[in-house]
Coordinates of all heavy atoms in Angstrom, one line a residue:
R1434 N 81.8 101.7 32.3 CA 82.9 101.1 31.8 C 84.0 102.1 31.3 O 85.2 101.8 31.5 CB 82.4 100.2 30.7 CG 83.6 99.4 29.9 CD 83.0 98.7 28.7 NE 84.0 98.0 28.0 CZ 84.6 96.9 28.2 NH1 84.3 96.2 29.3 NH2 85.6 96.4 27.5
L1468 N 59.2 54.5 39.3 CA 58.9 55.9 38.9 C 57.9 56.6 40.0 O 57.1 55.9 40.5 CB 58.1 55.9 37.6 CG 59.0 55.9 36.3 CD1 58.3 55.8 35.0 CD2 60.2 57.0 36.3
A1487 N 84.9 97.5 39.3 CA 85.9 98.3 39.0 C 87.1 98.2 40.0 O 87.7 99.2 40.3 CB 85.5 99.7 38.6
R1492 N 81.9 97.8 51.6 CA 82.4 97.6 52.9 C 81.3 97.3 54.0 O 81.5 96.8 55.0 CB 83.2 98.8 53.3 CG 84.4 99.1 52.4 CD 85.1 100.2 53.0 NE 86.2 100.6 51.9 CZ 87.1 101.6 52.2 NH1 87.0 102.4 53.2 NH2 88.0 101.8 51.3
A1505 N 57.2 70.6 39.7 CA 56.7 69.3 39.3 C 57.8 68.4 39.1 O 58.6 68.6 38.1 CB 55.8 69.4 38.2
M1511 N 66.0 53.3 42.2 CA 66.7 52.3 41.7 C 66.7 51.2 42.6 O 67.2 51.2 43.8 CB 68.3 52.8 41.4 CG 68.3 53.8 40.2 SD 70.0 54.3 40.1 CE 70.1 55.6 41.3
F1516 N 70.3 44.4 40.6 CA 71.8 44.3 40.2 C 72.4 43.3 41.1 O 73.7 43.2 41.3 CB 72.5 45.7 40.5 CG 71.8 46.8 39.8 CD1 70.9 47.7 40.4 CD2 72.2 46.9 38.5 CE1 70.4 48.7 39.7 CE2 71.6 48.1 37.7 CZ 70.7 48.9 38.3
L1579 N 58.2 54.5 56.2 CA 58.9 55.7 56.7 C 60.4 55.4 56.3 O 61.0 54.5 56.8 CB 58.8 55.8 58.3 CG 59.3 57.0 58.9 CD1 58.7 58.3 58.4 CD2 59.3 56.9 60.4
S1602 N 79.4 109.2 43.8 CA 80.0 109.9 44.7 C 79.5 111.3 44.8 O 79.7 112.2 45.7 CB 81.6 109.9 44.6 OG 81.9 110.2 43.3
H1618 N 73.1 75.3 44.9 CA 73.4 73.9 45.1 C 73.0 73.6 46.6 O 73.4 74.3 47.5 CB 75.0 73.8 45.1 CG 75.5 74.0 43.7 ND1 75.7 73.1 42.7 CD2 75.9 75.3 43.2 CE1 76.1 73.7 41.7 NE2 76.4 74.9 41.9
R1667 N 70.9 24.6 38.7 CA 70.9 24.9 40.2 C 69.6 24.2 40.7 O 69.6 23.6 41.9 CB 71.0 26.3 40.4 CG 70.9 26.6 41.8 CD 72.1 26.0 42.7 NE 72.0 26.2 44.2 CZ 72.4 25.5 45.0 NH1 73.0 24.4 44.8 NH2 72.3 25.9 46.3
I1672 N 67.0 19.9 44.1 CA 66.1 18.7 44.3 C 66.7 17.5 44.4 O 66.2 16.6 45.2 CB 65.3 18.7 42.8 CG1 64.4 19.9 42.6 CG2 64.3 17.4 42.8 CD1 63.7 20.0 41.2
S1681 N 67.7 9.3 53.4 CA 68.5 9.2 54.5 C 67.9 9.6 55.9 O 68.4 9.2 56.9 CB 69.7 10.1 54.3 OG 69.4 11.4 54.3
G1691 N 53.9 25.2 44.9 CA 54.3 26.0 43.8 C 53.8 27.5 44.1 O 52.7 27.6 44.6
P1699 N 46.0 36.8 38.5 CA 45.9 35.7 39.6 C 45.6 34.4 38.8 O 46.2 33.4 39.3 CB 44.7 36.1 40.5 CG 44.8 37.7 40.3 CD 45.2 37.9 38.9
L1717 N 61.7 14.9 41.3 CA 61.8 14.0 42.5 C 61.6 12.5 42.3 O 62.3 11.6 42.7 CB 60.9 14.6 43.6 CG 61.3 15.8 44.4 CD1 60.2 16.3 45.2 CD2 62.4 15.6 45.3
P1723 N 58.8 8.2 45.7 CA 57.5 7.8 45.3 C 56.6 9.0 45.1 O 56.5 9.8 46.1 CB 57.1 6.8 46.3 CG 58.3 6.3 47.0 CD 59.2 7.6 46.9
R1724 N 55.8 9.1 44.0 CA 54.9 10.2 43.8 C 53.8 10.1 44.8 O 53.2 11.1 45.3 CB 54.4 10.1 42.4 CG 53.5 11.5 42.1 CD 53.1 11.6 40.7 NE 52.2 12.7 40.4 CZ 52.7 13.8 39.9 NH1 54.1 13.9 39.7 NH2 52.0 14.8 39.7
S1735 N 49.5 34.0 46.0 CA 48.8 34.3 47.2 C 49.7 34.2 48.4 O 49.3 34.8 49.5 CB 47.6 33.4 47.5 OG 48.1 32.0 47.5
P1740 N 56.6 40.4 50.1 CA 55.4 41.2 49.8 C 55.7 42.2 48.8 O 56.7 43.0 48.8 CB 54.9 41.8 51.1 CG 55.5 40.9 52.1 CD 56.9 40.6 51.6

Side-chain angles (χ1 to χ4, degrees):
R1434 176 181 176 85
L1468 283 177
R1492 301 183 184 181
M1511 291 176 281
F1516 303 98
L1579 183 64
S1602 56
H1618 303 269
R1667 176 57 181 155
I1672 297 170
S1681 63
L1717 283 170
R1724 190 178 180 91
S1735 64

